[in-house]
């Protein structure tokens, strides 16, 4: 499977965008290089899902969107929307657990 974050992302070929992201993450998180194959396999699984295909086909998509809402009693509830994308004229909100 060809790994890509989007239609023009450069794929995961050596030196490609995804390859660079994986290498950077391993370095930043001080993870061993031996985890590279497992990480790429997880990405393959994600990119084979219907959710990924729907997200990539969306006209608009946003990741890690901050959210806050005041309640009637004056409290403010804060959080982050993991993924939101527009589909068929409406918004799909995804909360990963």
């Amino acid at each position: 499977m060809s790994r890509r974050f989007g239609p023009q992302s450069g794929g995961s070929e050596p030196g490609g965008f995804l390859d660079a992201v994986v290498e950077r993450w391993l370095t930043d998180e001080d993870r061993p290089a031996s985890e590279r194959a497992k990480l790429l396999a997880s990405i393959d699984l994600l990119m084979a899902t219907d959710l990924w295909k729907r997200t990539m086909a969306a006209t608009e998509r946003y990741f890690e969107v901050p959210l806050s809402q005041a309640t009637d009693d004056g409290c403010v509830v804060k959080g982050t929307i993991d993924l939101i994308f527009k589909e068929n004229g409406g918004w799909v909100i995804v909360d990963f657990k």
Side-chain angles (χ1 to χ4, degrees):
M1 166 178 274
S2 173
R3 297 175 193 88
R4 302 187 312 169
F5 279 124
Q8 289 83 34
S9 70
S12 65
E13 63 279 350
F17 176 75
L18 186 53
D19 185 62
V21 169
V22 167
E23 293 303 321
R24 175 71 183 259
W25 183 84
L26 290 171
T27 300
D28 288 354
E29 296 297 317
D30 196 28
R31 307 300 299 184
S34 61
E35 290 186 7
R36 184 177 190 280
K38 184 178 179 181
L39 179 57
L40 289 172
S42 295
I43 292 169
D44 278 344
L45 288 173
L46 170 67
M47 296 176 82
T49 65
D50 181 57
L51 177 62
W52 181 264
K53 293 170 188 166
R54 289 170 57 202
T55 302
M56 291 298 100
T59 57
E60 293 181 64
R61 58 185 170 270
Y62 305 97
F63 302 89
E64 297 293 318
V65 178
L67 170 73
S68 63
Q69 177 67 45
T71 64
D72 291 338
D73 62 0
C75 292
V76 177
V77 179
K78 296 181 181 182
T80 302
I81 298 172
D82 295 328
L83 167 63
I84 183 169
F85 62 93
K86 198 167 196 174
E87 180 178 67
N88 300 323
W91 289 97
V92 176
I93 298 173
V94 180
D95 183 34
F96 295 109
K97 291 293 175 202

